[in-house]
Amino acid sequence: MRRLIVLLGVAVALLFGLLVLMYSHQPREYEVNYTIAVSFYSAEGSQSWDLGWMVVGVGRENYTMGVFKYPGAELLVFEATEGGRNYTAVCAMGRCFRDTPQRDLDVLNFKVTDIKATGKCRHMGYEGEVYRVEGVFDLLAEVARARGVEFNVTGAGEVCIAGDLLLWARERYVFNVGGRQAVFVVVINASKIGPYNEERYREILQKAKAS
């Protein structure tokens, strides 16, 4: 269950950032390194750990590489665009598999119920706007109900955006399963911002296409 919550939390945290970026009208080229930390709270106790990191390149072609660590395992994700097509590979335990991001988003089906600007923010010398996002997992709840399981997940959080640059995200997800509740928190921070890296793009594209 914890691994499922980790995957959902990270995916939606990134999705929140992308939703806000859709409102940007200042395209440019850059590369950003992010750190990702998570916390899990339930009736049995709490746990916090550094989930991993990722590097994101935005430009004429986009690229992402992420390294996510779990107890006894490490998950690597490579994603890049080329000529209007998107390539993604997920690697674990020495094996890589092609993946389709759109399929994953369809399965998660996170429905945004509210998004609004709430104030100003500053991080790593950049000034930006804070956006608050709220939503629910519609499809997951429907699937659970069809199987006779009481299940729902709500999400809320804030992201800091400077133009078209995501500086940080603070996301909180509440899981209610069969009358029991668990809370999962994802914190993403930009740790380094630099120029677009053409060589890194080619390396990530090659790994994303090779699996």
Side-chain angles (χ1 to χ4, degrees):
M1 180 64 179
R2 289 192 179 186
R3 291 188 180 183
L4 172 61
I5 294 175
V6 169
L7 293 173
L8 292 176
V10 172
V12 176
L14 300 181
L15 178 59
F16 278 1
L18 294 176
L19 287 170
V20 175
L21 290 178
M22 290 173 60
Y23 293 89
S24 172
H25 299 285
Q26 304 177 36
R28 51 179 169 166
E29 295 189 345
Y30 57 82
E31 180 183 272
V32 190
N33 288 70
Y34 293 100
T35 59
I36 306 171
V38 297
S39 297
F40 178 83
Y41 306 90
S42 70
E44 288 74 29
S46 64
Q47 184 179 4
S48 299
W49 67 97
D50 293 328
L51 182 63
W53 58 269
M54 63 184 185
V55 57
V56 177
V58 176
R60 47 198 175 278
E61 297 286 0
N62 301 328
Y63 58 88
T64 301
M65 175 182 173
V67 177
F68 307 105
K69 298 180 179 180
Y70 305 93
E74 184 176 82
L75 186 71
L76 288 81
V77 178
F78 303 94
E79 182 176 353
T81 61
E82 183 183 44
R85 297 189 62 183
N86 194 88
Y87 299 90
T88 303
V90 178
C91 304
M93 301 179 69
R95 300 183 63 184
C96 295
F97 306 89
R98 289 288 293 275
D99 194 28
T100 306
Q102 185 58 49
R103 179 199 65 198
D104 295 339
L105 295 183
D106 288 343
V107 172
L108 291 173
N109 195 23
F110 187 81
K111 179 182 178 181
V112 175
T113 58
D114 186 43
I115 179 172
K116 59 185 176 183
T118 61
K120 301 290 185 180
C121 57
R122 185 177 180 85
H123 183 66
M124 297 189 66
Y126 291 82
E127 293 186 358
E129 296 279 346
V130 176
Y131 293 85
R132 180 171 178 78
V133 186
E134 297 180 355
V136 296
F137 289 94
D138 275 354
L139 183 57
L140 287 177
E142 291 177 8
V143 172
R145 282 196 297 269
R147 297 185 177 183
V149 178
E150 179 188 349
F151 175 85
N152 76 290
V153 187
T154 59
E158 294 182 332
V159 293
C160 173
I161 302 289
D164 59 346
L165 176 62
L166 175 65
L167 296 175
W168 54 255
R170 309 283 187 267
E171 311 298 343
R172 184 176 186 271
Y173 309 99
V174 179
F175 294 73
N176 290 286
V177 184
R180 303 179 66 183
Q181 185 179 93
V183 177
F184 187 77
V185 178
V186 181
V187 177
I188 301 176
N189 285 311
S191 58
K192 181 181 179 181
I193 302 173
Y196 184 89
N197 191 316
E198 184 70 32
E199 181 178 355
R200 196 182 331 273
Y201 160 71
R202 290 194 297 269
E203 292 175 353
I204 293 176
L205 176 64
Q206 181 181 11
K207 292 179 179 179
K209 296 173 68 174
S211 61

